[in-house]
Amino acid sequence: MKQNIAILCSGGDVSGMNPALKRFVEYAYAKGMQPYFVRNGYEGLIDNQITPASYRDVSGIITRGGTKIGSARSKRFMEPAFRSLAAENLKSHGIDKLVVLGGDGSFRGMERFYHESGIAFCGIPSTIDNDINGTDYCLGVDTALGVIKEAIDQIRDTASSFHRAFVIETMGRNCGYLALISAITSGAEMCLIPEIPIDIHEYTDCYRSQIEKGRDYFIAIVSEALNSNEVSQWFEKELGFESRVTVLGHIQRGGNPSVYDRLMAYKFVTYAIDALIEGQNHFIICYNKSHFNFKTIDEVALHPYQLDEELLTLAREQFLPSHCQM
Ligand code: ADP
């Protein structure tokens, strides 16, 4: 008899989920399994939105951001009674293996679910914030960085023509990864992230001197955990520079999945299905130092995510006021 395997998306969507769904369906069939979709995350598990998936469901989706099967957060899944209903639904379809695209909250929920129901799962880290401890890379990050790069490049065109300071706010919750990589790769003058505390008033003398020597616009990248309006006001009051804030917001979540995210989706899903077939039953597939490996939720969520120390050292040399070139 054919083995059944299901996939769902939980929490924030990312570009890369659709390429993952496509690989999931194709690889499950290649392994002689019947793939299923669960719509709308854990809500769909509880409401039995579980259907067999076919090639037709995934044709043409590799170019699209978001997720064709929907994603959700679910308060009900926090309650044992609803998890029990979810388990019954899966079992009624003969499904005992599940691939979950989500964050560490989703994996924590799945771990409970596994211990209660015996249904095996593999978590694939998926968030543009890249803030999951235990993996260097999360699905969707590269596409988000590409979207931010495009936006900053375009803002630079107007900033340079109109001699303004542009303060650009990126997503990332409490993690400065998106802001930092974007600031470095876009040639920004300023980068403010929670991991590197900076008093912006310490830039005043240096920037004044740069303006005297001909600098006529600024690009500042600010992580969403910090106050971009305050930074903008500082440019106006301290430097007399007209300033505008651009909050990039949810455009960072969407867009045509990058080559790298398509490849990572392909690899994450392939190794996840292989490991589930081999009998691993509650794990998260992580990517460290160019290798895939399997970790438990306790290993993944043991510490809060920390930015790579080497990157932080480079960033301090670039962005601390004490290194500002007059
Ligand atoms: P993320 O997966 O991005 O970290 P959340 O923390 O919002 O996002 O978790 C997503 C969903 O996972 C929640 O809406 C809830 O359904 C489920 N979940 C999170 N933590 C638990 C838990 N301790 N027990 C059961 N379910 C949980």
Side-chain angles (χ1 to χ4, degrees):
M1 214 179 75
K2 259 194 175 178
Q3 278 198 49
N4 297 337
I5 184 167
I7 192 166
L8 64 80
C9 304
S10 174
D13 60 285
V14 304
S15 276
M17 283 177 163
N18 278 329
L21 297 178
K22 178 176 166 65
R23 177 60 181 162
F24 172 79
V25 169
E26 293 176 354
Y27 196 55
Y29 276 129
K31 288 284 169 179
M33 304 169 99
Q34 172 62 52
Y36 279 76
F37 284 157
V38 180
R39 285 172 209 277
N40 305 319
Y42 298 154
E43 288 287 287
L45 272 189
I46 294 165
D47 295 333
N48 203 9
Q49 298 174 346
I50 304 168
T51 49
S54 72
Y55 293 117
R56 198 187 311 148
D57 294 316
V58 291
S59 75
I61 69 170
I62 202 164
T63 59
R64 284 165 42 194
T67 163
K68 188 178 179 185
I69 62 173
S71 185
R73 297 202 164 82
S74 170
K75 279 194 183 142
R76 291 187 294 166
F77 199 72
M78 308 289 274
E79 294 177 32
F82 285 111
R83 290 199 297 274
S84 165
L85 189 55
E88 276 172 35
N89 289 336
L90 281 171
K91 285 175 185 169
S92 73
H93 294 278
I95 297 166
D96 62 358
K97 294 178 180 57
L98 199 50
V99 174
V100 174
L101 305 173
D104 47 3
S106 302
F107 305 150
R108 182 65 75 190
M110 260 298 118
E111 180 75 8
R112 279 186 169 179
F113 187 67
Y114 162 74
H115 287 292
E116 292 161 0
S117 68
I119 293 167
F121 82 94
C122 174
I124 296 180
S126 309
T127 165
I128 66 164
D129 301 328
N130 212 29
D131 62 350
I132 300 179
N133 174 55
T135 186
D136 297 343
Y137 190 77
C138 300
L139 194 62
V141 171
D142 189 62
T143 305
L145 286 171
V147 170
I148 298 169
K149 181 201 72 136
E150 290 287 319
I152 298 174
D153 287 354
Q154 290 178 28
I155 287 171
R156 179 183 291 282
D157 291 344
T158 173
S160 61
S161 308
F162 223 75
H163 316 307
R164 280 175 170 158
F166 267 89
V167 178
I168 302 167
E169 184 179 304
T170 60
M171 280 183 165
R173 291 190 284 197
N174 291 316
C175 172
Y177 186 84
L178 288 182
L180 180 52
I181 301 295
S182 300
I184 291 173
T185 56
S186 302
E189 281 68 49
M190 185 188 274
C191 174
L192 299 175
I193 58 173
E195 291 86 347
I196 305 180
I198 286 176
D199 176 359
I200 48 173
H201 296 94
E202 290 178 20
Y203 283 114
T204 307
D205 290 345
C206 181
Y207 280 11
R208 277 198 185 130
S209 150
Q210 288 187 1
I211 292 165
E212 272 166 29
K213 287 181 181 152
R215 182 183 288 294
D216 60 359
Y217 73 96
F218 288 89
I219 302 281
I221 311 297
V222 178
S223 176
E224 70 176 330
L226 305 172
N227 189 337
S228 41
N229 284 319
E230 229 172 67
V231 180
S232 177
Q233 282 159 17
W234 175 82
F235 272 110
E236 300 226 331
K237 285 191 188 132
E238 292 279 321
L239 299 180
F241 234 83
E242 201 182 335
S243 174
R244 293 286 183 276
V245 175
T246 303
V247 179
L248 296 182
H250 284 81
I251 65 162
Q252 296 163 90
R253 283 261 195 95
N256 176 279
S258 70
V259 169
Y260 190 68
D261 273 323
R262 294 181 196 197
L263 181 64
M264 289 301 279
Y266 187 95
K267 290 184 177 179
F268 270 132
V269 168
T270 304
Y271 298 138
I273 291 181
D274 282 344
L276 285 166
I277 291 172
E278 280 160 18
Q280 295 209 49
N281 42 29
H282 56 125
F283 61 100
I284 291 117
I285 181 162
C286 295
Y287 187 71
N288 303 99
K289 297 190 177 14
S290 308
H291 292 285
F292 289 88
N293 50 70
F294 303 117
K295 295 187 180 174
T296 63
I297 179 65
D298 286 335
E299 287 171 287
V300 167
L302 190 62
H303 305 289
Y305 176 81
Q306 284 185 319
L307 267 182
D308 176 43
E309 196 45 51
E310 186 194 338
L311 197 58
L312 282 173
T313 304
L314 290 171
R316 284 188 197 101
E317 282 168 22
Q318 172 81 15
F319 294 113
L320 278 180
S322 51
H323 293 272
C324 185
Q325 297 297 314
M326 295 246 187

